[in-house]
Amino acid sequence: MGFIMSFSSFIPPQRTLMGPGPSDVSARVLSALARPTVGHLDPTFVGMMDEVKSLLQYAFQTHNKFTIALSAPGSAGMEACFVNLVTPEDTVIVCRNGVFGARMIENVQRLGAKCVIVDGTWGRAVNPQQLEDKLTQHPEAKFVAFVHAETSTGALSDAKTLCSIAKAYDCITIVDAVTSLGGVELAVDDWQIDAVYSGSQKCLSCVPGISPVSFSEQAVELIQNRKTPVPSWFLDQSLVMAYWSGEGKRAYHHTAPVNSLYALHESLLMLQQEGLENSWSRHFQQHQALAQGLKTLGLDFIVPEGERLPQLNTVAIPQGVDDAKVRGYLLNEYNLEIGAGLGQFAGEAWRIGLMGYAARTENVALCLAALKDALVKFG
Ligand SMILES: *Cc1c(COP(=O)(O)O)cnc(C)c1O
């Protein structure tokens, strides 16, 4: 009826993804995605979901029963933590040292709760002393929230220390582990993290669109004892719990992204087969190789050594070099994607990701060769 339809199948180019996510997805994970779709309440699928829970407990290093994969991206994991735990009477301390900390603040403010901000420097880790100062000034604070691995700046914060300070003031901890999970050490139980969320497409190297989350017993109790319903129906974890929890009967909540969960299962299995510690050290070794090469090219890191994320390397764009031209050249000539600067670093920095399957020797070599070529051309 007047619609002109002359399309054909979309065949994406074969890129190498070395930006802030999504990261390269292996052929093994992609083939898991292509397996036959089954019903989301099919007993075989339910069995696979139980395995996903166990594999996630391993990845997060937690025995939390409530450890699941939300059917939505990392941003929904963030929102799920705030919307389920925080009520308008609460005071939440949020540490901001980049874009994602700022999003946490927005979540708190939209819920009508009081937000106390620990304002940090972009490109630096969260300062534990600054957090402690705010905690002494605000004894009414009930939550402390921060980003473990700030993907917008490339800074790694000391989650263990920040949580131990928060716990000394009886606060519940909410931690963004979207980029840290699988790439650097993360120990949810040992570090006393009460609510944590991640994403499938960063160091897990799975397809985008799934957010692993885990809640401690204390956090679950808080959700169960709420006096008012969670303001979001879809993210209400008391309903999601009934869908993901075992004991035979599962209540329909929504249709799980069946094939994406096959892919997540495969990527978590790959992580478990490699071993968490091995995965962390692989990320670090590739980061060191990249850092050495960048130094020879005359490129400087923005984040000081000791606070750098191995999986996300933020380098300053040299004076006179055209940011967009270089990134466009890498994409068109090398099929290589690196990330642009975000927020305060827009136009000032490149973000080179070494996440999951992308943290490989051949990727580091490709990136260094391509950058060298581009800098000669546009530098
Ligand atoms: C990518 C990212 C998010 C958001 O995840 P989406 O899957 O893009 O919604 C949140 N926090 C951090 C630290 C991230 O890197």
Side-chain angles (χ1 to χ4, degrees), residues 20 73-76 78 100 103 147 149-151 176 178-179 197 201-202:
S75 305
M78 179 190 287
F100 294 103
R103 286 190 180 178
V147 179
E150 241 309 344
T151 325
D176 178 317
V178 175
T179 285
Y197 59 93
Q201 79 280 25
K202 313 255 169 146

